[in-house]
Each structure stands twice: as structure tokens, then as C-alpha cells.
Amino acid sequence: MGDYNGLTRQEYALALLRSCYGYDSFRGQQWDIINHTLDGKDSIVLMPTGGGKSLCYQIPSLMSEQGFGIVISPLLALMNDQINALQQNGVPALALNSEKSDAENRQTVDLLMQGKVKLLYISPEKLLSEIERWSSAITQRICLFAVDEAHCISQWGHDFRPEYTQLGTLKQRFPDIPVMALTATADRITRNDIGKQLNIPEARLFISSFDRPNISLNVVQGSTGRQKFRQIVQFINLHQGESGIIYCLRRKDTEKMAADLTRLGIKAEPFHAAMSVSEKQRVQRDFINDDLKVVCATIAFGMGIDKSNVRYVIHSNMPRNIESYYQEIGRSGRDGLPADALLFYNYGDVVTLQQFALQSGQVQVNMDKLRSMQQFAESGVCRRRILLNYFNERFDHDCHNCDVCDNPPDRFDGTTFAQMALSAIKRADEQIGMYTVTDILRGMRKGEIIDKGYDRLKTFGVGHDLSTFEWNAYLLQMLQLGLFDVAYDDNKHLKITEYGNEVLFGRQHIELNRVQRRKFTAKKEPDTPAIVLHEAASGKQLDQELFEKLRDVRKAIAQASKIAPYMVFSDKTLQAMATEKPTTMSEFGILYGVGQVKCQKYWRPFTAAIRNHLSPND
Ligand code: ADP
Ligand code: ZN
């Protein structure tokens, strides 16, 4: 046990937490993890995105008097982000990587030798080549190895990186240095494999709840084309001035979406793998700097950024599995303030994704994962329950922050509807796809319908009372219930199952969830946001006008010092300012997220803006 200037270990850790980061207490298991590491022991840390993993290795590194912590991370962008954030807080953090010049890297090694670095960020391949060359003067200063994105070491994970596999040798070479593996991927196979691959069989497992209660979960079924676009616009308009990501399935969808939104005055840009590196960097930078609010992206976007004030994530198409979905929505609301996730789910997505799955190397696994995703989208019970159960977490109450909890489904006997649909399919000799079924039921005299003589079927027009949107949504439910299958080897025509026949002939009944057309309206006050807790604790109210002014101050500072606005202060800290309205340095210094270094640097411009707001005539 070290001596911490007469403080206990925990007191010292808390003092650092306050002075460096401006936080007053550890969250969840953070302290246990830190304490365990300070005992010199290995750990595997499972926490959702935004859960606060980085503090777990940063604090022990800061507490080590002479030493430094090594953070192994696969993404350069992520490293740079973390280093910037640490430097903002006055922590000496550096990276060794191939992007830097040899001279820069040599200088970093010198600083390591002199004990002037607290955290070293490095890629796995660089570490292994580098560490061979280090003298014992450096290696004896290493106080921990933190393996970030540790699921990359496992072939079972969704993001295997061969360069991670060599990391297993670290424990053999440095048996006494604690290893901390961190990931936001929860599944059991991957988790066990991480311990094995890193040679840390005794590692203690720290599993946090994967719940992100501040993210509101919403699904819209059945919308397509223009209607979907209108709903997206409506939704974005409720989030004016806020940052959001729209995920699309294909490159061309991102481009179209961005162009269509921009035409309506919502400035948006696409982001996808085929863009040049510099274009991608520009979009990412503009987004981080709050100069661009909306990005329409394929899945690649968001990996390397820590932007804490993303307020919404829209999935304009259904993702292939729950893991991806959860990771993507997890990019919103990292600051703990309310965020919105909106998922669109229609028949076309199911068809496309099933085809992807069938063409993939692991058909069974991918089909199962897709089915779970569909169950989530179709769910008639609280969506958070489904999600967390999927991650093997017990969650036995309704969340009151999802669309199902907000609008419990209205179930009704849908047998007649099903019979109409099934009968249309049967009469067309099972030679039609989903959208044609809708057209027949609604009595649409379109080319294909007339050409094939479907307008003479007995079922033609029997369902004209329902809109296209409603039929599409009900057919989707029927597919999910297993009344018919999609024949991928026969032009995606629908084939009635045995169960479907039972329903068609009235031997079985089915229930459907009534389809409601979703209108997006301003949300009621959310239940869980941190700021509400903050207001409740202090009895003060957030001054929205002041908040906007403080945002401008932050923006100006960020521009002048060429860093992202959220690196200056998070939205949550600005909200604390706009609520507490500090006018002196000491009042400013105790705010959430204001550490010593930032207090020194920034108290003047912010308190000046607050004073000016309170008495504009002075
Ligand atoms: P992760 O790496 O798990 O995605 P981060 O380490 O980036 O999460 O933390 C997410 C956010 O929560 C950051 O803004 C971080 O500063 C903040 N945070 C972490 N720990 C605490 C804490 N104990 N109190 C307040 N905020 C915290
Ligand atoms: Zn719910």
C-alpha cells in the first residue's frame, strides 16, 4: 500500500476525481475496479458505452507516484480524443503511433523515461514492437495495462482484430503488472475468450448494468419511402439545434437522405466507407465541433468519437442484430442527459437483411440474430426488457421510457384480417410478394395487378378500409407470427405455412397489435435525466436562455483553442452553470465537471457571461 499524503487510498482517489475531472463520486463499480487494480490484480470490465470505463484505468495511473498506465486501443481517432480530453484536464497523456514522426515518438519515449507521462495510448502492434526496445528504466514504471475494446481479441466477437492476439504475451512477460480488459460487448462466449486470450484466467469480472436509462427507445413499424422521410423530418424538427446521427443501410441512402434533408433546410452530410479519408475526417470534425448537426451514415460512423452530446440516433433501416443496434444508439446521450433512439422497421428491411444473412458465412447465427432484432422491433412489451434480457440481464419492470410503455399496444382479434391476406395469397397461387398483397386487398388498379388479372380475384379490394401503411404493418406482424414465409429462391413470393392454413380455415385465431400512425410531438418531461436530479437537489431552475448563451461562449473558446466544444465542457456542465449561475471562481470551481485546470482556464469567460446575463446593464 502506498502512502497518499496522509490520505487513505479512497480519499486520495476521490480528491483526484474532484481536482482533475470535477466529479464528486464514483459511479457504479468504478471504485471497486480501481481498488482491485491498485491491489495489483487483473480484471475484465464490462460496461456499456458511456458507462465510464476510462476513469477505471486513468485514476489508478494518476495515483501511481512514479509510474504510468498503458492504454491499448485499436483506433487512432479514439486515442486522440481521449488524450485531448485528458490534456484539457491537465493530465500528461501521450500517444505512440505510426502517424507521428520518429522524432515525436522518440521524444515521447524520453518523457516516459523521465516519469513525465501518466498515460500512454498505443496500438497493439506498436506496443509489441516498442516494448522490446524499452529499457528497464521505462518498463519498471508501467503500473497497468488497460486493453480497451478488448472484444477485438476474440474471434467470437463482432470486431476481431488479428493484431490483438499477440497481447497474450504481455502477462507472460510482466506477470506482476495488472491487466484490465475493457469492453462494451457483453456476450458470454466473447467474455470468457478475452480472459483466455489475455492469459488472465484469474481476472475478476466486473459486469455493470447495460441499461442506458436516459435513452428513450422508439420504433415505428411499416413506414416506407416518403412517409418515413416525413416522419424523420418531424422528429428532427423536435431536436432543432441538437446533434444527431441517422444510420442508413446503404451508401446511396446516406447520400439521398442528406440531400433531401438539406433541401428542406436541415443541413446534413453523408458519411460512408467509400468517401476519401480527408472527406470523412472533415465530416467527423464538423460534427464534433457542432458545425454540422446531422450526419447520415452507414454503420462505420461513430466508432472513433466520444462526442458526448449526441441527442438522437435514427435507424432509417433496421440493423442486422441487437448488438449493432445497441452500440449505435449508445452513441447518443453519453453525457447522461435525455436522448432519443428511433428505429424504422419495415418489410423491405426484413427481406434485405435476411438475404444478407443467407449469403453470410454463418447463416444460422445471423438468422437467429436477425430474428431477435425483429422480436425487439415487433415487441408488445417494454422494449428495454427485451434488450436487457437479450444481454442476459435481469430487468423485471417496465421502463416508462420506451414507446411501448408510453402507448401500450391495443390488441385485437386479427383473424379476419389474416384471412383476407391469406386468401389473397392463396388465390394468387402464392406467386405474389408482400406489397402486391397490400395492393390487391386495397383494390389498387395498377399495371401488374391488371396484367396478372388479380383485379378479378374475390379478395380484390376487400381491405380498402385500411391504408397501405396499415396493411403493410399488419402483414409484417403476420409474417412475424409465422402465417407465411418469404421464398427467397422464388422471387420473394409469399408461401403460406401450415399455421397460416389453420388460420385461413378458421381453426386458429390470431391477435394483432393495432397499428397507430405515429406523430412526433414534443416529449413530456423525461423521468430520469441527471439535470432533473440536479434541479431537484438545488431547488433551482435551468435558465434556457442562459444555457444558449453559454453554448456560444463554449463554441468561441473551442474555436480559439481548436478543440471540440464538448472537450471544453459537456452539456451537463453547461446545464449546471445555467442552473447554479456561479459568478465567482470558487462558485464555478465546484460545478459538476469543472476540475482545477479547467476552472483556472475558463472561469472568467463563463462567469462574465453569467454576470452579464443576470444584470445586462452593468
Ligand atoms: P465509456 O468509455 O465507458 O464509453 P467514458 O469513460 O467516456 O465512458 O465516460 C462517459 C462519460 O461519463 C464521460 O463524459 C465521463 O467524463 C463521465 N463520467 C465517468 N465517470 C463519472 C463519474 N464518476 N461521475 C460523473 N461523470 C462521470
Ligand atoms: Zn419500456
Side-chain angles (χ1 to χ4, degrees):
M1 274 238 191
D3 176 31
Y4 301 110
N5 303 331
L7 300 175
T8 66
R9 190 190 263 183
Q10 189 173 18
E11 285 166 347
Y12 187 61
L14 281 167
L16 274 174
L17 185 67
R18 179 69 241 177
S19 66
C20 280
Y21 301 87
Y23 302 145
D24 289 322
S25 54
F26 288 111
R27 242 193 223 162
Q29 302 187 81
Q30 278 175 334
W31 170 246
D32 292 336
I33 297 165
I34 292 166
N35 202 21
H36 182 79
T37 307
L38 290 170
D39 283 340
K41 296 181 190 157
D42 305 326
S43 52
I44 298 177
V45 174
L46 270 56
M47 246 187 228
T49 312
K53 284 186 283 298
S54 11
L55 277 189
C56 298
Y57 52 79
Q58 290 174 0
I59 295 267
S61 307
L62 293 175
M63 288 173 77
S64 154
E65 209 177 333
Q66 301 279 323
F68 68 96
I70 292 188
V71 187
I72 299 143
S73 165
L75 297 163
L76 283 181
L78 205 59
M79 280 188 210
N80 292 335
D81 223 42
Q82 293 234 1
I83 289 171
N84 276 334
L86 283 164
Q87 289 177 345
Q88 277 295 304
N89 285 327
V91 174
L94 286 171
L96 267 180
N97 62 44
S98 45
E99 255 188 3
K100 302 207 161 150
S101 70
D102 286 348
E104 276 177 303
N105 281 341
R106 258 197 311 278
Q107 195 193 7
T108 301
V109 174
D110 281 346
L111 291 171
L112 283 175
M113 195 114 76
Q114 296 160 28
K116 289 191 175 155
V117 177
K118 279 283 133 204
L119 283 143
L120 179 74
Y121 285 77
I122 191 164
S123 63
E125 62 275 18
K126 186 82 184 164
L127 174 65
L128 294 164
S129 66
E130 197 70 23
I131 210 164
E132 293 301 322
R133 291 189 269 149
W134 288 353
S135 65
S136 63
I138 303 183
T139 53
Q140 72 191 11
R141 288 187 193 277
I142 304 172
C143 68
L144 63 84
F145 291 110
V147 183
D148 208 1
E149 313 287 345
H151 56 274
C152 293
I153 203 171
S154 172
Q155 310 226 26
W156 305 111
H158 54 86
D159 193 16
F160 174 60
R161 287 165 192 257
E163 62 275 19
Y164 260 65
T165 45
Q166 293 299 314
L167 291 174
T169 57
L170 286 178
K171 196 68 205 177
Q172 290 163 337
R173 265 206 69 186
F174 302 99
D176 297 330
I177 301 177
V179 172
M180 183 187 294
L182 306 108
T183 176
T185 299
D187 79 81
R188 195 165 295 145
I189 308 176
T190 311
R191 178 199 305 169
N192 292 339
D193 204 30
I194 290 173
K196 201 164 119 200
Q197 300 289 334
L198 283 174
N199 278 314
I200 47 170
E202 305 287 311
R204 184 160 148 206
L205 193 58
F206 291 92
I207 306 182
S208 303
S209 167
F210 270 67
D211 192 14
R212 300 280 308 277
N214 59 318
I215 302 179
S216 157
L217 306 170
N218 297 281
V219 178
V220 174
Q221 284 169 19
S223 293
T224 55
R226 298 254 309 275
Q227 183 187 25
K228 175 156 82 176
F229 181 68
R230 271 198 303 275
Q231 286 171 316
I232 290 177
V233 171
Q234 233 176 37
F235 182 83
I236 295 179
N237 282 334
L238 289 175
H239 285 277
Q240 265 178 25
E242 298 178 345
S243 300
I245 305 174
I246 306 176
Y247 285 108
C248 307
L249 210 51
R250 295 177 210 82
R251 184 189 308 167
K252 67 175 199 304
D253 303 330
T254 65
E255 286 164 349
K256 183 165 172 7
M257 179 72 74
D260 290 350
L261 287 173
T262 303
R263 212 167 295 130
L264 289 183
I266 300 171
K267 190 178 155 226
E269 298 221 36
F271 183 100
H272 54 71
M275 280 159 56
S276 71
V277 174
S278 62
E279 262 301 276
K280 280 196 278 199
Q281 280 173 345
R282 184 188 59 78
V283 171
Q284 193 143 315
R285 198 175 47 239
D286 287 355
F287 186 64
I288 285 173
N289 291 339
D290 286 349
D291 292 330
L292 169 68
K293 303 289 186 191
V294 184
V295 173
C296 308
T298 50
I299 44 171
F301 186 73
M303 276 287 275
I305 53 176
D306 259 343
K307 186 175 164 69
S308 64
N309 63 342
V310 176
R311 291 270 71 88
Y312 62 90
V313 167
I314 299 175
H315 281 93
S316 121
N317 303 100
M318 190 169 74
R320 350 180 147 205
N321 53 51
I322 290 190
E323 284 90 345
S324 314
Y325 171 72
Y326 206 54
Q327 200 168 48
E328 283 151 19
I329 65 168
R331 290 176 186 142
S332 68
R334 292 175 79 126
D335 52 14
L337 295 173
D340 268 317
L342 175 63
L343 166 71
F344 286 94
Y345 163 56
N346 66 38
Y347 169 68
D349 296 339
V350 178
V351 170
T352 313
L353 290 170
Q354 288 197 349
Q355 272 178 327
F356 283 169
L358 289 172
Q359 288 156 8
S360 71
Q362 293 170 297
V363 177
Q364 196 53 47
V365 176
N366 288 331
M367 286 298 267
D368 286 349
K369 290 196 171 211
L370 177 57
R371 201 159 305 123
S372 301
M373 185 69 229
Q374 263 176 281
Q375 275 159 6
F376 168 81
E378 285 280 328
S379 173
V381 301
C382 170
R383 299 206 195 272
R384 205 168 304 268
R385 290 174 82 147
I386 306 225
L387 269 187
L388 294 174
N389 280 323
Y390 180 80
F391 292 121
N392 302 313
E393 186 172 327
R394 253 190 81 121
F395 187 83
D396 52 12
H397 55 280
D398 289 347
C399 77
H400 302 296
N401 197 21
C402 75
D403 58 333
V404 180
C405 284
D406 287 350
N407 297 299
D410 173 13
R411 313 266 293 167
F412 66 97
D413 185 332
T415 311
T416 313
F417 285 176
Q419 286 169 336
M420 288 181 189
L422 290 165
S423 145
I425 298 169
K426 180 141 274 176
R427 285 170 196 275
D429 294 326
E430 302 188 322
Q431 291 299 310
I432 53 176
M434 185 94 97
Y435 293 127
T436 311
V437 178
T438 297
D439 285 343
I440 294 174
L441 293 171
R442 297 200 64 238
M444 308 295 274
R445 296 190 187 280
K446 289 186 178 166
E448 192 206 349
I449 306 272
I450 310 277
D451 292 350
K452 300 249 169 83
Y454 293 148
D455 55 335
R456 295 194 299 274
L457 296 181
K458 252 181 100 175
T459 36
F460 186 76
V462 292
H464 66 269
D465 286 352
L466 300 185
S467 68
T468 302
F469 168 69
E470 285 166 313
W471 269 120
N472 286 343
Y474 286 132
L475 288 168
L476 200 56
Q477 290 186 34
M478 292 174 202
L479 175 69
Q480 182 73 357
L481 286 171
L483 301 188
F484 42 79
D485 287 331
V486 180
Y488 289 94
D489 51 358
D490 180 15
N491 294 313
K492 297 172 214 158
H493 290 154
L494 305 181
K495 309 289 169 186
I496 299 173
T497 60
E498 224 168 283
Y499 179 44
N501 276 314
E502 295 279 294
V503 174
L504 178 58
F505 298 114
R507 290 192 290 267
Q508 293 258 14
H509 285 243
I510 60 146
E511 284 203 330
L512 294 173
N513 291 334
R514 192 166 311 281
V515 173
Q516 288 153 350
R517 207 172 266 272
R518 281 291 292 277
K519 261 235 164 343
F520 297 102
T521 47
K523 255 204 128 67
K524 58 176 181 10
E525 273 303 296
D527 299 336
T528 43
I531 191 63
V532 174
L533 297 178
H534 183 78
E535 280 182 12
S538 69
K540 296 179 189 164
Q541 287 264 320
L542 170 78
D543 183 334
Q544 191 63 38
E545 200 187 319
L546 176 57
F547 178 72
E548 297 302 330
K549 290 182 184 171
L550 295 172
R551 258 225 277 234
D552 293 340
V553 175
R554 174 174 71 176
K555 176 93 211 194
I557 293 176
Q559 262 166 354
S561 35
K562 296 199 166 47
I563 52 171
Y566 71 88
M567 293 261 179
V568 178
F569 284 125
S570 69
D571 280 10
K572 207 162 154 180
T573 299
L574 286 199
Q575 293 205 349
M577 276 182 222
T579 309
E580 295 295 333
K581 304 178 187 160
T583 53
T584 64
M585 181 173 161
S586 56
E587 285 170 357
F588 190 78
I590 55 169
L591 290 179
Y592 173 92
V594 182
Q596 269 169 12
V597 172
K598 285 191 181 175
C599 180
Q600 288 284 352
K601 255 200 289 205
Y602 300 133
W603 74 275
R604 281 198 181 84
F606 284 102
T607 53
I610 293 167
R611 274 197 306 272
N612 195 282
H613 175 75
L614 294 176
S615 38
N617 300 324
D618 287 1

